[in-house]
Amino acid sequence: MISPRVTLLLVTGLGQKLVVRKNLLSESARVSAIHCKSLSLQYPGGTRAVDNISLKVNPGEIVSLIGPSGCGKTTLLRLMAGLEQPTEGAVSLDPPVRGDAGGIAFVFQQPSLLPWRTAIQNVVLPLDLIGKGSASDRREIASELLKTVGLADAAKCFPSELSGGMKMRVSIARALATSPHVLLLDEPFAALDDMLRNQLGQLLLELWERRHFTVVMVTHNIAESVLLSNRIAVMREGALASVLDNPLPQPRNEEMRTTGEFGEFYGHVSRALRGG
Ligand code: ADP
Ligand code: MG
């Protein structure tokens, strides 16, 4: 069972030893599988938001959760994070990781940065909370991550000085600071325009190519789910309607959006969403 203790905004995961290295993202860190077994959650008041879902997310896999508003995507993601406890069934991570030690990272739709901390101070926060390594090591990791997301020059800027896309980059850098086994994202790019959304999707792929952490991402955007994920889990009314294997080859890139293979799988997902 994942610990429900998740700090502040995000984050953090499990019993992984924090290894302080110059290039944190290129190290071969351990990643975990997520097992959801007969998982249900009935909110007080009656809504059965998640209804008997069994799903295994393999280590290093990217799975998208897609489905109409209110079908239980956020609830399922929060169950995976240990932010909600199931009324029936269980979630387990293999190898196990603790949510309060940096192993599970959670990226919300809103970047939710602390306005009184600079970009680098926001990224260093989960490392400070865990308290591993020296202050200078932690700052070096944060600095490296900001460089990786293209924000080296903005390290000393406050959130109010950053655009929406830059804030989301900081949020992603912060989520990766603890070198998590599992990265959970709840519609992370929904508030951004199409061009930025595509750029950040590409950034996520680049980060994932360096270190294949396990990713579960909620999205409303079929094209995004097709480009980014290995499998797409289609939800309807709290249940898993279908899980589709993505035939697009790896590595992915923006040019694939115009291929026949992309269009064909897009149509397949679209039909599954409509209940076909
Ligand atoms: P989605 O992310 O797919 O839009 P949610 O997981 O947010 O769906 O919500 C699924 C269902 O659970 C909805 O009917 C929603 O109104 C209900 N719900 C979500 N959060 C709560 C809560 N904290 N208390 C009661 N009902 C909730
Ligand atoms: Mg939601």
Side-chain angles (χ1 to χ4, degrees):
M1 186 71 66
I2 305 166
S3 163
R5 288 173 294 149
V6 176
T7 38
L8 217 32
L9 354 129
L10 41 144
V11 190
T12 100
L14 340 186
Q16 168 193 22
K17 190 164 181 286
L18 184 68
V19 181
V20 179
R21 295 255 177 85
K22 272 217 150 78
N23 195 344
L24 183 82
L25 286 169
S26 65
E27 76 184 72
S28 56
R30 294 192 314 161
V31 296
S32 293
I34 308 168
H35 296 267
C36 301
K37 293 172 202 140
S38 309
L39 202 57
S40 296
L41 189 150
Q42 180 141 13
Y43 283 113
T47 307
R48 198 169 176 84
V50 166
D51 188 10
N52 195 25
I53 285 187
S54 291
L55 174 70
K56 182 187 175 197
V57 182
N58 297 309
E61 189 178 29
I62 302 182
V63 170
S64 287
L65 296 180
I66 194 161
S69 197
C71 73
K73 304 180 295 297
T74 294
T75 304
L76 179 56
L77 205 65
R78 290 175 62 82
L79 282 164
M80 289 179 180
L83 292 165
E84 302 283 355
Q85 291 303 304
T87 38
E88 289 153 58
V91 178
S92 60
L93 269 68
D94 181 21
V97 284
R98 284 201 348 262
D100 59 349
I104 303 172
F106 202 108
V107 174
F108 297 95
Q109 184 170 341
Q110 298 300 330
S112 61
L113 303 178
L114 299 181
W116 59 89
R117 294 180 76 121
T118 61
I120 192 160
Q121 286 169 343
N122 268 283
V123 176
V124 96
L125 179 65
L127 293 169
D128 287 346
L129 291 172
I130 294 170
K132 291 270 180 78
S134 69
S136 68
D137 284 342
R138 299 200 287 263
R139 204 169 166 87
E140 192 181 340
I141 290 173
S143 173
E144 182 73 19
L145 276 162
L146 278 177
K147 201 190 297 176
T148 308
V149 300
L151 287 180
D153 294 342
K156 291 186 177 157
C157 292
F158 287 93
S160 59
E161 301 171 286
L162 302 174
S163 69
M166 291 162 94
K167 280 186 228 176
M168 188 46 81
R169 281 169 194 265
V170 175
S171 174
I172 291 170
R174 179 183 59 188
L176 295 176
T178 56
S179 200
H181 291 212
V182 168
L183 179 63
L184 305 173
L185 307 106
D186 193 358
E187 302 201 50
F189 313 138
L192 306 174
D193 63 52
D194 274 359
M195 198 182 290
L196 263 177
R197 172 188 274 269
N198 294 348
Q199 280 174 4
L200 288 191
Q202 206 56 43
L203 172 67
L204 181 64
L205 277 181
E206 284 164 22
L207 295 168
W208 179 81
E209 288 291 344
R210 293 187 195 204
R211 199 172 65 69
H212 283 205
F213 34 78
T214 308
V215 180
V216 181
M217 181 174 77
V218 172
T219 178
H220 266 114
N221 189 300
I222 299 176
E224 187 169 272
S225 69
V226 170
L227 191 66
L228 300 184
S229 35
N230 304 112
R231 285 189 297 154
I232 298 178
V234 181
M235 287 184 68
R236 197 171 303 123
E237 295 177 3
L240 214 48
S242 49
V243 182
L244 308 172
D245 283 321
N246 190 339
L248 285 189
Q250 300 278 6
R252 309 279 169 77
N253 58 55
E254 278 295 313
E255 283 70 50
M256 288 181 173
R257 288 179 188 271
T258 55
T259 63
E261 207 172 11
F262 186 98
E264 197 176 320
F265 188 55
Y266 184 105
H268 198 39
V269 177
S270 180
R271 281 190 293 281
L273 263 173
R274 292 198 306 270

Coordinates of all heavy atoms in Angstrom, one line a residue, residues 211-248:
R211 N 15.6 8.6 -19.0 CA 15.4 7.7 -17.8 C 14.0 7.2 -17.8 O 13.1 8.0 -17.6 CB 15.7 8.5 -16.5 CG 16.1 7.6 -15.4 CD 16.6 8.4 -14.2 NE 15.5 9.3 -13.7 CZ 14.5 8.8 -13.1 NH1 14.3 7.5 -12.9 NH2 13.6 9.7 -12.6
H212 N 13.8 6.0 -18.1 CA 12.4 5.5 -18.4 C 11.6 5.3 -17.2 O 11.3 4.2 -16.8 CB 12.5 4.2 -19.3 CG 12.8 4.5 -20.7 ND1 12.5 3.6 -21.7 CD2 13.5 5.5 -21.3 CE1 12.9 4.1 -22.9 NE2 13.5 5.2 -22.6
F213 N 11.3 6.4 -16.5 CA 10.4 6.3 -15.3 C 9.0 5.9 -15.8 O 8.6 6.1 -17.0 CB 10.3 7.6 -14.5 CG 10.4 8.9 -15.3 CD1 9.3 9.3 -16.0 CD2 11.6 9.6 -15.4 CE1 9.4 10.5 -16.8 CE2 11.6 10.7 -16.2 CZ 10.5 11.2 -16.9
T214 N 8.2 5.3 -14.9 CA 6.8 4.9 -15.3 C 5.9 6.1 -15.2 O 6.0 6.9 -14.3 CB 6.4 3.9 -14.2 OG1 7.4 2.8 -14.1 CG2 5.0 3.3 -14.6
V215 N 5.2 6.3 -16.3 CA 4.3 7.5 -16.4 C 2.8 7.1 -16.6 O 2.5 6.3 -17.4 CB 4.7 8.4 -17.6 CG1 3.9 9.6 -17.7 CG2 6.2 8.8 -17.5
V216 N 2.0 7.8 -15.8 CA 0.5 7.7 -16.0 C 0.1 9.2 -16.2 O 0.3 10.0 -15.3 CB -0.3 7.0 -14.9 CG1 -1.7 7.0 -15.3 CG2 0.3 5.6 -14.7
M217 N -0.6 9.5 -17.3 CA -0.9 10.8 -17.6 C -2.4 10.9 -18.0 O -2.9 10.2 -18.9 CB -0.1 11.4 -18.8 CG -0.4 12.8 -19.1 SD 0.7 13.5 -20.3 CE 0.0 12.8 -21.8
V218 N -3.2 11.8 -17.3 CA -4.5 12.0 -17.7 C -4.5 13.1 -18.8 O -3.8 14.1 -18.6 CB -5.4 12.5 -16.5 CG1 -6.7 13.0 -16.9 CG2 -5.5 11.4 -15.4
T219 N -5.3 12.9 -19.8 CA -5.4 13.9 -20.8 C -6.8 13.9 -21.5 O -7.4 12.8 -21.5 CB -4.3 13.8 -21.9 OG1 -4.5 14.8 -22.9 CG2 -4.3 12.4 -22.6
H220 N -7.2 15.0 -22.0 CA -8.4 15.0 -22.8 C -8.1 15.0 -24.3 O -9.0 15.0 -25.1 CB -9.2 16.4 -22.5 CG -10.2 16.3 -21.5 ND1 -10.1 16.9 -20.3 CD2 -11.3 15.6 -21.4 CE1 -11.1 16.7 -19.5 NE2 -11.9 15.8 -20.2
N221 N -6.8 15.1 -24.6 CA -6.4 15.3 -26.0 C -5.9 14.0 -26.6 O -4.9 13.4 -26.2 CB -5.2 16.3 -25.9 CG -4.8 16.8 -27.2 OD1 -4.4 16.0 -28.1 ND2 -4.9 18.1 -27.4
I222 N -6.7 13.5 -27.6 CA -6.5 12.2 -28.2 C -5.1 12.2 -28.9 O -4.3 11.3 -28.7 CB -7.5 11.9 -29.2 CG1 -8.9 11.8 -28.6 CG2 -7.2 10.5 -29.9 CD1 -10.0 11.5 -29.5
A223 N -4.8 13.3 -29.6 CA -3.5 13.4 -30.3 C -2.3 13.3 -29.4 O -1.3 12.6 -29.6 CB -3.4 14.6 -31.2
E224 N -2.4 14.0 -28.2 CA -1.4 13.9 -27.2 C -1.2 12.5 -26.7 O -0.1 12.0 -26.5 CB -1.8 14.9 -26.1 CG -0.7 15.1 -25.0 CD -1.2 16.3 -24.1 OE1 -0.9 17.4 -24.5 OE2 -1.9 16.0 -23.1
S225 N -2.3 11.8 -26.4 CA -2.2 10.5 -25.9 C -1.6 9.5 -26.9 O -0.8 8.7 -26.5 CB -3.6 10.0 -25.4 OG -4.4 9.7 -26.5
V226 N -1.9 9.8 -28.2 CA -1.4 8.9 -29.2 C 0.1 9.1 -29.4 O 0.9 8.2 -29.5 CB -2.1 9.1 -30.6 CG1 -1.4 8.4 -31.7 CG2 -3.5 8.7 -30.5
L227 N 0.5 10.4 -29.3 CA 2.0 10.7 -29.5 C 2.8 10.2 -28.4 O 4.0 9.8 -28.5 CB 2.2 12.2 -29.8 CG 3.6 12.5 -30.3 CD1 3.9 11.9 -31.7 CD2 3.8 14.0 -30.3
L228 N 2.3 10.4 -27.1 CA 3.1 10.2 -26.0 C 3.1 8.8 -25.4 O 4.1 8.3 -24.8 CB 2.7 11.2 -24.9 CG 2.9 12.7 -25.2 CD1 2.6 13.5 -24.0 CD2 4.3 13.0 -25.7
S229 N 2.0 8.1 -25.5 CA 1.9 6.9 -24.7 C 2.1 5.5 -25.4 O 2.0 5.4 -26.6 CB 0.5 6.8 -23.9 OG -0.5 7.3 -24.7
N230 N 2.5 4.5 -24.6 CA 2.6 3.2 -25.1 C 1.2 2.5 -25.1 O 1.0 1.7 -26.0 CB 3.5 2.3 -24.1 CG 4.9 3.0 -24.0 OD1 5.2 3.4 -22.9 ND2 5.7 3.0 -25.0
R231 N 0.4 2.8 -24.1 CA -1.0 2.3 -24.1 C -1.9 3.4 -23.7 O -1.5 4.3 -22.9 CB -1.1 1.1 -23.1 CG -0.4 -0.2 -23.6 CD -0.8 -1.3 -22.7 NE -0.2 -1.2 -21.4 CZ -0.7 -1.7 -20.3 NH1 -1.8 -2.5 -20.4 NH2 -0.1 -1.5 -19.2
I232 N -3.2 3.3 -24.1 CA -4.2 4.2 -23.7 C -5.3 3.5 -23.1 O -5.9 2.6 -23.6 CB -4.7 5.0 -25.0 CG1 -3.5 5.7 -25.6 CG2 -5.8 5.9 -24.7 CD1 -3.8 6.4 -26.9
A233 N -5.6 3.9 -21.8 CA -6.7 3.3 -21.0 C -7.9 4.3 -21.2 O -7.9 5.4 -20.8 CB -6.3 3.2 -19.6
V234 N -9.0 3.8 -21.8 CA -10.2 4.5 -22.0 C -11.1 4.3 -20.9 O -11.5 3.1 -20.6 CB -10.9 4.2 -23.4 CG1 -12.1 5.0 -23.6 CG2 -9.9 4.4 -24.5
M235 N -11.6 5.3 -20.2 CA -12.5 5.2 -19.0 C -13.9 5.6 -19.3 O -14.0 6.6 -20.1 CB -11.9 5.9 -17.8 CG -10.7 5.3 -17.1 SD -10.2 6.2 -15.7 CE -11.6 5.8 -14.5
R236 N -14.8 5.0 -18.7 CA -16.2 5.4 -18.9 C -17.0 5.1 -17.6 O -16.9 4.0 -17.1 CB -16.9 4.7 -20.1 CG -18.2 5.4 -20.5 CD -18.7 4.8 -21.8 NE -17.7 4.8 -22.9 CZ -17.2 3.8 -23.6 NH1 -17.7 2.6 -23.3 NH2 -16.3 3.9 -24.5
E237 N -17.6 6.1 -17.0 CA -18.4 6.0 -15.8 C -17.7 5.2 -14.7 O -18.2 4.2 -14.1 CB -19.7 5.3 -16.1 CG -20.6 6.2 -17.0 CD -21.9 5.6 -17.5 OE1 -22.2 4.5 -17.0 OE2 -22.6 6.3 -18.2
G238 N -16.4 5.5 -14.5 CA -15.7 4.9 -13.4 C -15.0 3.6 -13.7 O -14.2 3.1 -12.9
A239 N -15.3 3.1 -14.9 CA -14.8 1.7 -15.2 C -13.8 1.9 -16.4 O -13.8 2.9 -17.1 CB -15.9 0.8 -15.6
L240 N -13.0 0.8 -16.6 CA -12.1 0.8 -17.7 C -12.9 0.2 -18.9 O -13.3 -0.9 -18.9 CB -10.9 -0.1 -17.3 CG -9.6 0.2 -17.8 CD1 -9.2 1.6 -17.6 CD2 -8.6 -0.7 -17.1
A241 N -13.1 1.1 -19.9 CA -13.8 0.6 -21.1 C -12.9 -0.3 -22.0 O -13.3 -1.3 -22.5 CB -14.4 1.8 -21.9
S242 N -11.7 0.2 -22.2 CA -10.7 -0.6 -23.0 C -9.3 -0.1 -22.8 O -9.1 1.1 -22.3 CB -11.1 -0.5 -24.5 OG -11.3 0.8 -24.9
V243 N -8.4 -0.9 -23.1 CA -6.9 -0.5 -23.0 C -6.3 -0.8 -24.4 O -6.3 -2.0 -24.8 CB -6.2 -1.3 -21.9 CG1 -4.8 -0.8 -21.8 CG2 -6.9 -1.1 -20.5
L244 N -5.8 0.2 -25.0 CA -5.4 0.1 -26.4 C -3.9 0.1 -26.5 O -3.2 1.0 -25.9 CB -6.0 1.2 -27.3 CG -7.5 1.3 -27.2 CD1 -8.0 2.6 -27.9 CD2 -8.2 0.1 -27.8
D245 N -3.3 -0.8 -27.2 CA -1.8 -0.8 -27.4 C -1.5 0.1 -28.6 O -2.1 0.0 -29.6 CB -1.3 -2.2 -27.8 CG -1.2 -3.1 -26.6 OD1 -0.8 -2.7 -25.5 OD2 -1.6 -4.3 -26.8
N246 N -0.5 1.0 -28.4 CA -0.2 2.0 -29.4 C 0.9 1.4 -30.3 O 2.0 1.0 -29.9 CB 0.4 3.2 -28.7 CG 0.6 4.4 -29.6 OD1 0.6 4.2 -30.9 ND2 0.6 5.6 -29.1
P247 N 0.5 1.3 -31.6 CA 1.4 0.6 -32.6 C 2.5 1.6 -33.1 O 3.5 1.1 -33.8 CB 0.5 0.2 -33.8 CG -0.6 1.2 -33.7 CD -0.8 1.6 -32.3
L248 N 2.5 2.9 -32.7 CA 3.5 3.8 -33.2 C 4.9 3.4 -32.7 O 5.0 3.1 -31.5 CB 3.2 5.2 -32.8 CG 2.1 6.0 -33.4 CD1 2.2 7.4 -33.0 CD2 2.2 5.9 -35.0

